[in-house]
Amino acid sequence: MIHRRVAMAALSVGLLLVPGPTLAHSLLVRSQPERRATVTRPPEEVRLWFSERIEPAYARVSVWDAGGKQVDAGDAAVDQAGATTLAVRTPGLRAGRYTVRYRVLSVDGHIVESSFDFTVRPAAAPTGIQK
Ligand SMILES: [Cu+2]
C-alpha cells in the first residue's frame, strides 16, 4: 500500500510542478566508503545513509569498476527499520577506482540520482616501521 501512496505522490508532484515546501527529499548524508575516499582495505559493502526515508521498491545502488564492469553482488537492499540506509555487498574488490551509482525515491515523491567515486589502494608492503 505504501508503494501506491508514493507513486501517487510522485505523480502529483510531476503534474503540479510544485514541490511541497514542508517535504524534504532524501539527500545522501554520508557513505561508506566516503565520496572520493581512498581506502586501503577493500570494502565488503557500500552503504549509503540518507536524510529521509526512501522507498525500498525503487531504491537502486550499484558499483562499477574503471572498466565499466559492475562489481557489486546485486543484492542492494534498504534497511528494514528506518528505511534511510541503502547497502550493496562488494565482495572481492581489488585495488582500483570504483564508481557508486544510486537512485532513490524519497517518501515525498522526489527521485534523487547521483554517483560518486572511491579508490581502493593496493595494500602496502610491510615495511617494519612501527607507528
Ligand atoms: Cu523532495
Side-chain angles (χ1 to χ4, degrees):
M1 284 307 110
I2 191 167
H3 298 177
R4 178 167 298 164
R5 190 160 58 81
V6 170
M8 291 300 287
L11 189 62
S12 301
V13 169
L15 288 173
L16 296 172
L17 296 174
V18 178
T22 60
L23 300 173
H25 51 252
S26 274
L27 297 175
L28 183 67
V29 290
R30 73 183 173 102
S31 64
Q32 213 163 45
E34 292 177 25
R35 180 183 295 265
R36 288 197 289 266
T38 296
V39 297
T40 52
R41 182 175 300 180
E44 289 296 313
E45 66 167 25
V46 170
R47 184 168 290 268
L48 311 178
W49 283 264
F50 292 90
S51 59
E52 308 286 339
R53 287 170 51 86
I54 55 178
E55 174 51 50
Y58 296 97
R60 303 281 182 271
V61 60
S62 55
V63 185
W64 305 76
D65 72 12
K69 182 187 172 200
Q70 190 168 359
V71 295
D72 60 82
D75 60 349
V78 174
D79 67 303
Q80 298 292 316
T84 57
T85 304
L86 174 63
V88 66
R89 289 191 310 119
T90 53
L93 290 190
R94 298 160 182 267
R97 182 172 179 150
Y98 296 93
T99 301
V100 179
R101 295 183 186 147
Y102 64 91
R103 187 176 196 270
V104 299
L105 177 64
S106 314
V107 292
D108 74 351
H110 292 168
I111 289 169
V112 175
E113 184 169 22
S114 191
S115 66
F116 63 89
D117 290 353
F118 70 89
T119 300
V120 177
R121 197 169 66 187
T127 60
I129 296 173
Q130 302 294 313
K131 281 187 179 173

